[in-house]
Amino acid sequence: MPTEIEAADIAKPADGTQEDKTEKLQKDLEHEPSPKKNDLETGESENLMEKKRDAEDAASKNKDRLQRFKALQARAKTAAKSNLKETAAEAHRLSVDPNALSSISRKHAFASHSLLKADIEAAGEDFERKRAWDWTAEESEKWDRRMDKKQKHRDNVAFQDYRQDAHKNYKRQLRRMQPDLDAYENEKAAAVQRAAANGGLELAEDENGDIVAIDKNGAFYSTADSTDFVENRPDRAAIDRLVADMQKAEETRLKKRRERGQGDDEADVTYINDKNKRFNQKLARFYNKYTAEIRDSFERGTMI
């Protein structure tokens, strides 16, 4: 059986081993990373990244804003230059009289014509023959027809009779009229198809291969006794053109009437000519306030 000293000696190494384990455990705990510390570092890095992204976004926005601002500045500069140029052109146009320009150009053309004519005649050549070299025969004939037509219109401008005046008005309306040929062809084709379906027309092919409509009973094509035109209903545009033409004719009539001194708002005719009309107006201006009651009594038939 061991003694107390031997037992103490045996127990010492065991105690030392326990202390070594404790120290080792403490060292391991000290070297082990702390979870709170790692979380803090991760949060700080995320904050830094977010701040960096915000800074980059702000920089890109500032860059875009600066580019837009520069574009607006360039646009404003261009607009200012354009406005200045247009203003200068407008001021120049207003400072020049168009009538004076047309008069100068007309005088220049007349002077050039006279100078050319004098030079050609001085050279012993025919001026009209020389000038005719600038145009072809077709252009010359076309120009002659145009001049003859203008001369006829100039000769027929005076009033001759109502028949001739109505004919002139009719020709003027024909010149302004612009028929819709496509709509006419469509209506014609539809009418032919309806007549062929009803048996009034017979479609046949001629020698050239064209389709020809043959009227069997003579009821399709219009004659002097035909009354089918009363069923025609014009479109809205044609009615508007007719109304506009009638209004224009009425305005022209009233304008001519006013020019002749026969306006609709004029009172009774108490004069025989313009001189007598002006004299009566002077009398009315001075004496109407005295004779108004007498004239009203005469008109009512109550004058005593």
Side-chain angles (χ1 to χ4, degrees):
M1 183 174 181
T3 61
E4 293 180 359
I5 296 172
E6 292 176 354
D9 294 334
I10 294 170
K12 282 182 181 179
D15 293 337
T17 305
Q18 186 68 28
E19 290 177 358
D20 293 339
K21 290 181 179 180
T22 304
E23 291 177 358
K24 186 177 181 182
L25 181 60
Q26 289 178 356
K27 289 180 180 180
D28 293 339
L29 291 175
E30 289 177 358
H31 290 289
E32 185 178 357
S34 176
K36 293 183 178 179
K37 186 176 181 181
N38 292 337
D39 293 340
L40 291 174
E41 291 178 355
T42 305
E44 290 178 357
S45 62
E46 290 179 354
N47 291 333
L48 291 175
M49 293 295 292
E50 186 175 357
K51 289 180 180 179
K52 187 176 181 180
R53 285 195 298 269
D54 294 341
E56 291 177 355
D57 294 340
S60 62
K61 289 181 180 179
N62 291 333
K63 187 177 180 180
D64 294 340
R65 193 179 296 111
L66 182 61
Q67 290 178 355
R68 289 198 301 270
F69 180 68
K70 289 182 178 179
L72 288 175
Q73 282 183 334
R75 185 177 178 182
K77 188 176 181 180
T78 305
K81 288 183 179 180
S82 177
N83 291 337
L84 182 61
K85 186 177 180 180
E86 291 179 359
T87 303
E90 182 70 14
H92 178 70
R93 186 182 65 82
L94 294 176
S95 63
V96 178
D97 188 8
N99 296 327
L101 286 178
S102 60
S103 177
I104 291 173
S105 61
R106 185 168 56 252
K107 291 179 180 179
H108 180 269
F110 182 75
S112 300
H113 180 270
S114 301
L115 182 61
L116 180 62
K117 184 177 181 180
D119 293 340
I120 293 176
E121 289 179 352
E125 299 178 357
D126 188 2
F127 173 71
E128 295 296 335
R129 185 171 181 272
K130 184 77 172 180
R131 192 176 62 167
W133 291 355
D134 297 334
W135 297 284
T136 61
E138 291 80 5
E139 291 175 347
S140 180
E141 292 177 357
K142 185 177 180 180
W143 178 260
D144 292 339
R145 288 195 299 269
R146 182 180 177 184
M147 291 295 103
D148 293 340
K149 188 176 181 180
K150 289 183 68 174
Q151 186 63 34
K152 288 180 181 179
H153 283 298
R154 195 178 295 112
D155 295 338
N156 296 331
V157 71
F159 177 79
Q160 298 177 4
D161 54 15
Y162 289 103
R163 178 177 174 275
Q164 186 262 354
D165 190 64
H167 181 66
K168 286 173 58 178
N169 189 20
Y170 173 72
K171 293 189 69 175
R172 189 184 307 113
Q173 291 176 354
L174 283 181
R175 286 195 299 269
R176 290 200 302 263
M177 187 177 65
Q178 297 179 356
D180 191 357
L181 299 180
D182 295 335
Y184 168 74
E185 293 295 337
N186 294 333
E187 292 181 2
K188 181 180 177 181
V192 169
Q193 290 178 1
R194 287 195 302 269
N198 296 331
L201 283 180
E202 181 181 356
L203 299 180
E205 186 176 356
D206 60 359
E207 298 177 355
N208 298 327
D210 298 331
I211 303 298
V212 180
I214 301 175
D215 192 1
K216 292 182 178 179
N217 51 10
F220 178 74
Y221 294 103
S222 300
T223 60
D225 299 329
S226 300
T227 58
D228 295 338
F229 62 89
V230 297
E231 299 178 359
N232 182 32
R233 297 181 63 86
D235 56 354
R236 188 67 181 177
I239 296 175
D240 293 340
R241 285 197 302 270
L242 176 62
V243 172
D245 189 69
M246 294 178 65
Q247 290 178 351
K248 186 175 181 180
E250 183 67 16
E251 291 175 359
T252 304
R253 186 185 69 82
L254 294 177
K255 182 180 178 181
K256 296 294 184 182
R257 185 180 178 88
R258 286 193 297 269
E259 290 177 356
R260 291 193 299 266
Q262 300 177 0
D264 294 337
D265 55 347
E266 194 171 339
D268 296 335
V269 178
T270 59
Y271 52 88
I272 58 176
N273 51 32
D274 291 339
K275 186 176 181 180
N276 182 244
K277 178 183 178 181
R278 288 193 294 271
F279 180 74
N280 291 344
Q281 288 175 351
K282 290 180 181 179
L283 291 178
R285 188 162 58 249
F286 288 103
Y287 296 105
N288 265 2
K289 58 183 178 180
Y290 304 111
T291 61
E293 185 177 356
I294 298 174
R295 285 186 288 104
D296 292 341
S297 299
F298 270 119
E299 291 176 0
R300 290 195 304 267
T302 59
M303 183 63 184
I304 299 176

